[in-house]
Amino acid sequence: MIVLKKMRDLDIVSAGSNTRPLHLSAASGLVCLDAIMYVVADDELHLGAFPTGDCRPGHLIRICEGALPDAKAERKRRKPDFEALTLIPPSKELPHGALLAVGSGSRPNRRTGVRVDLDEQGFVSGDARKVDLSFILDPLGEEFPDTNVEGAVVVGQELRLFQRGNKRHTDNAIIRYPLEPVLDAVISGRGNPIAPSSIARLDLGSIQGVPYCFTDATALPNGDMIFSAVAEDTEDAYRDGACLGAAIGIIDDSDRLLSVDQLERPYKVEGIHARLVGDRVDLLLVTDADNPDIPATLFSATIDR
């Protein structure tokens, strides 16, 4: 069992609207830098930015134009569903790197991404740039009955996406793409369809007949991947269900499943960050409460590698 320690709720200074609460509720992706932690939420048009050194409220950074309705069903239908957030390494075009938010691909309006450039301190620099990600997400419809991308990591010269299964279609998969053409498309705003270089399907186990399915992933320096997974009682990529259990696991650079360890409580963990300290892996995790009135929570945990 993995024991979690609560660090903070994801409170924000200003909501930008009189109708929404002063917190993020549906955290779905996490990137932690030295001075700042970025959180993407699947029902927002903003990125959350939080200090790493204390528990002061964070602030919102707009990454999409427009507004989402407050009504839950209509908001769910219209949201871009950003389920993954990854760090793009520095390059000639992006001297200090960038963040890439990735839509789940589960509906046509959820195949958008957003690029947010960073400065040398890791703070957002300039306006967010919309990216049409259909060039990598559309081809997945030929592989999976329910496309549902929940994690994204850059490892070496690859982008790796994590496909989340469900009770009906249990495929969890790691989908690899060559990084160079993906980055060319991300920088230009869109690209021609790219077929995956490999797809590795994995069985993560189950609880009470409900399979554990990917919710996010991050990478260690050697290419090993640390993932979060939940056993959510739902049969498709659109509807939510009861969370029966949650787990953290390790997959090596060859897509071999090394371990899966259950969390002490069934928190719906949807974002993960990992830091290797000797033989120990320190984790930060953010949750999705599936309730806009309940703030997402930041937890810490430790596992052995």
Side-chain angles (χ1 to χ4, degrees):
M1 284 285 182
I2 296 176
V3 177
L4 299 184
K5 177 183 177 182
K6 181 176 178 178
M7 304 296 289
R8 61 169 297 163
D9 290 331
L10 296 186
D11 301 313
I12 55 176
V13 175
S14 173
S17 166
N18 294 327
T19 61
R20 62 151 294 160
L22 291 173
H23 60 250
L24 293 183
S25 61
S28 58
L30 172 65
V31 168
C32 189
L33 304 178
D34 289 339
I36 191 165
M37 177 180 71
Y38 294 104
V39 178
V40 70
D42 67 24
D43 68 344
E44 296 284 352
L45 302 179
H46 296 77
L47 192 67
F50 300 86
T52 58
D54 55 59
C55 291
R56 287 175 296 157
H59 65 278
L60 297 179
I61 300 169
R62 178 171 283 279
I63 57 174
C64 289
E65 295 301 320
L68 292 173
D70 293 326
K72 184 175 181 179
E74 184 65 10
R75 190 180 188 91
K76 186 180 184 73
R77 187 180 71 83
R78 292 177 53 187
K79 68 182 184 179
D81 200 32
F82 295 123
E83 290 285 0
L85 185 69
T86 191
L87 182 66
I88 296 174
S91 64
K92 180 180 178 181
E93 296 83 1
L94 303 170
H96 305 296
L99 300 172
L100 178 66
V102 179
S104 67
S106 59
R107 292 289 187 275
N109 64 311
R110 298 178 172 188
R111 293 171 191 163
T112 296
V114 172
R115 188 186 104 216
V116 183
D117 295 351
L118 302 175
D119 66 17
E120 58 186 343
Q121 283 82 38
F123 295 104
V124 168
S125 174
D127 296 330
R129 295 166 173 83
K130 184 177 179 180
V131 182
D132 181 359
L133 293 180
S134 60
F135 73 100
I136 54 174
L137 297 180
D138 281 356
L140 298 184
E142 300 175 8
E143 296 287 341
F144 305 104
D146 282 338
T147 301
N148 192 12
V149 173
E150 292 272 336
V153 295
V154 173
V155 181
Q157 293 304 306
E158 288 184 327
L159 172 69
R160 302 175 186 177
L161 300 183
F162 288 72
Q163 158 74 14
R164 177 179 178 177
N166 54 62
K167 281 179 66 177
R168 179 179 298 173
H169 304 294
T170 58
D171 278 349
N172 291 285
I174 300 174
I175 306 151
R176 300 186 182 217
Y177 296 90
L179 183 60
E180 185 176 353
V182 172
L183 284 188
D184 288 345
V186 167
I187 290 168
S188 66
R190 63 177 299 132
N192 295 321
I194 300 174
S197 54
S198 71
I199 297 177
R201 291 171 166 83
L202 295 99
D203 182 350
L204 308 180
S206 63
I207 182 170
Q208 300 178 38
V210 177
Y212 279 112
C213 297
F214 287 134
T215 58
D216 199 20
T218 188
L220 298 178
N222 69 344
D224 287 358
M225 296 158 281
I226 312 293
F227 68 85
S228 58
V230 302
E232 186 174 7
D233 194 3
T234 182
E235 294 189 347
D236 64 33
Y238 188 80
R239 284 184 282 271
D240 297 323
C243 183
L244 304 184
I248 304 297
I250 304 176
I251 298 168
D252 71 12
D253 195 39
S254 301
D255 295 330
R256 182 167 56 102
L257 182 62
L258 301 181
S259 66
V260 181
D261 293 303
Q262 189 174 343
L263 300 188
E264 58 173 342
R265 296 183 63 185
Y267 296 110
K268 192 177 178 185
V269 173
E270 294 236 356
I272 186 168
H273 167 82
R275 183 169 66 95
L276 186 62
V277 183
D279 291 330
R280 186 185 83 227
V281 180
D282 290 342
L283 302 173
L284 292 175
L285 311 163
V286 289
T287 61
D288 178 355
D290 280 338
N291 184 334
D293 296 325
I294 299 176
T297 302
L298 174 71
F299 290 98
S300 66
T302 298
I303 60 173
D304 294 325
R305 178 175 172 271

